[in-house]
Coordinates of all heavy atoms in Angstrom, one line a residue:
R26 N 10.3 9.2 8.4 CA 10.0 8.2 9.4 C 8.9 7.2 8.9 O 9.0 6.0 9.0 CB 9.5 8.8 10.7 CG 10.5 9.6 11.5 CD 9.9 10.2 12.7 NE 10.8 11.1 13.4 CZ 10.6 11.4 14.7 NH1 9.7 10.8 15.4 NH2 11.5 12.2 15.3
K81 N -9.1 7.8 18.8 CA -7.9 7.8 19.6 C -6.8 7.2 18.7 O -7.1 6.6 17.7 CB -8.1 6.9 20.9 CG -9.1 7.5 21.9 CD -9.2 6.6 23.1 CE -10.2 7.2 24.1 NZ -10.3 6.3 25.3
S82 N -5.6 7.5 19.1 CA -4.4 7.0 18.3 C -4.5 5.5 18.1 O -4.2 5.0 17.0 CB -3.1 7.4 19.0 OG -3.0 8.8 19.0
E83 N -4.8 4.7 19.1 CA -4.9 3.3 19.0 C -6.0 2.9 18.0 O -5.8 1.9 17.2 CB -5.1 2.6 20.3 CG -4.0 2.8 21.3 CD -4.1 4.1 22.1 OE1 -5.0 5.0 21.8 OE2 -3.3 4.3 23.1
A86 N -4.7 3.5 14.5 CA -3.8 2.5 14.1 C -4.5 1.2 13.7 O -4.1 0.7 12.6 CB -2.8 2.2 15.3
E140 N 2.3 13.3 12.3 CA 2.7 12.7 13.6 C 1.8 11.5 13.9 O 2.3 10.5 14.4 CB 2.7 13.8 14.7 CG 3.4 13.3 16.0 CD 2.6 12.4 16.9 OE1 1.3 12.5 16.8 OE2 3.2 11.7 17.7
Q141 N 0.5 11.7 13.8 CA -0.4 10.6 14.1 C -0.3 9.4 13.2 O -0.5 8.3 13.6 CB -1.9 11.2 14.1 CG -2.2 12.0 15.3 CD -2.0 11.2 16.6 OE1 -2.7 10.2 16.9 NE2 -1.2 11.7 17.5
Y143 N 2.5 8.5 11.7 CA 3.7 7.9 12.2 C 3.5 7.1 13.5 O 3.8 5.9 13.6 CB 4.8 8.9 12.4 CG 6.1 8.3 13.1 CD1 6.9 7.4 12.4 CD2 6.4 8.7 14.4 CE1 8.0 6.8 13.1 CE2 7.5 8.1 15.0 CZ 8.3 7.2 14.3 OH 9.4 6.6 15.0
R144 N 2.7 7.7 14.4 CA 2.4 7.0 15.7 C 1.6 5.8 15.4 O 1.8 4.7 16.1 CB 1.6 8.0 16.5 CG 1.2 7.4 17.9 CD 0.5 8.5 18.8 NE 1.3 9.6 19.0 CZ 2.2 9.7 20.1 NH1 2.3 8.7 20.9 NH2 2.9 10.8 20.3
A145 N 0.7 5.8 14.4 CA -0.1 4.6 14.1 C 0.8 3.4 13.7 O 0.6 2.3 14.2 CB -1.1 4.9 13.0
F146 N 1.8 3.7 12.9 CA 2.7 2.6 12.5 C 3.6 2.1 13.7 O 3.8 0.9 13.8 CB 3.6 3.1 11.4 CG 2.9 3.1 10.1 CD1 2.5 4.3 9.5 CD2 2.5 1.9 9.5 CE1 1.8 4.3 8.3 CE2 1.7 1.9 8.3 CZ 1.4 3.1 7.7
T147 N 4.0 3.0 14.6 CA 4.7 2.6 15.8 C 3.9 1.7 16.7 O 4.4 0.7 17.3 CB 5.4 3.7 16.5 OG1 4.4 4.5 17.1 CG2 6.3 4.6 15.7
I148 N 2.6 2.1 16.8 CA 1.7 1.3 17.6 C 1.5 -0.1 17.0 O 1.6 -1.1 17.7 CB 0.3 1.9 17.7 CG1 0.4 3.2 18.6 CG2 -0.8 1.0 18.2 CD1 -0.9 4.1 18.5
L149 N 1.3 -0.2 15.7 CA 1.1 -1.5 15.0 C 2.4 -2.4 15.1 O 2.3 -3.6 15.2 CB 0.8 -1.3 13.5 CG -0.6 -0.6 13.3 CD1 -0.8 -0.3 11.8 CD2 -1.7 -1.5 13.9
K150 N 3.6 -1.7 15.1 CA 4.8 -2.5 15.2 C 5.2 -2.7 16.6 O 6.3 -3.4 16.9 CB 5.9 -1.8 14.4 CG 5.7 -1.6 13.0 CD 5.7 -3.0 12.3 CE 5.6 -2.8 10.8 NZ 5.6 -4.0 10.0
G151 N 4.5 -2.2 17.6 CA 4.9 -2.4 19.0 C 6.1 -1.7 19.4 O 6.8 -2.1 20.3
E152 N 6.4 -0.6 18.7 CA 7.6 0.2 19.0 C 7.4 1.2 20.1 O 6.3 1.6 20.4 CB 8.1 0.9 17.7 CG 8.5 -0.1 16.7 CD 8.8 0.5 15.3 OE1 8.6 1.7 15.1 OE2 9.2 -0.3 14.4
P153 N 8.5 1.6 20.8 CA 8.3 2.3 22.1 C 7.9 3.8 21.9 O 7.7 4.5 22.9 CB 9.7 2.3 22.7 CG 10.6 2.0 21.6 CD 9.9 1.2 20.6
Y154 N 7.7 4.3 20.7 CA 7.4 5.7 20.5 C 6.1 6.1 21.2 O 5.9 7.1 21.8 CB 7.3 6.0 19.0 CG 6.9 7.4 18.7 CD1 7.8 8.5 18.7 CD2 5.6 7.8 18.3 CE1 7.5 9.8 18.4 CE2 5.2 9.1 18.0 CZ 6.2 10.1 18.0 OH 5.8 11.3 17.7
H155 N 5.1 5.2 21.1 CA 3.8 5.5 21.6 C 3.6 5.0 23.1 O 3.9 3.8 23.3 CB 2.7 4.8 20.8 CG 1.3 5.0 21.3 ND1 0.7 6.3 21.3 CD2 0.4 4.2 22.0 CE1 -0.5 6.2 21.9 NE2 -0.7 4.9 22.3
H156 N 3.3 5.8 24.0 CA 3.0 5.5 25.4 C 1.6 6.0 25.7 O 1.5 7.0 26.4 CB 4.1 6.0 26.3 CG 5.4 5.6 26.0 ND1 5.9 4.3 26.2 CD2 6.5 6.3 25.4 CE1 7.1 4.2 25.8 NE2 7.5 5.4 25.3
G157 N 0.6 5.3 25.2 CA -0.8 5.8 25.4 C -1.2 5.5 26.8 O -0.6 4.7 27.6
G158 N -2.3 6.1 27.2 CA -2.8 5.9 28.5 C -4.3 6.0 28.6 O -5.1 6.3 27.8

Side-chain angles (χ1 to χ4, degrees):
R26 291 180 189 204
K81 292 181 178 180
S82 295
E83 295 87 350
E140 192 279 337
Q141 286 300 301
Y143 173 66
R144 182 176 297 274
F146 284 109
T147 65
I148 290 169
L149 294 175
K150 296 292 184 182
E152 295 173 355
Y154 179 79
H155 177 72
H156 301 287

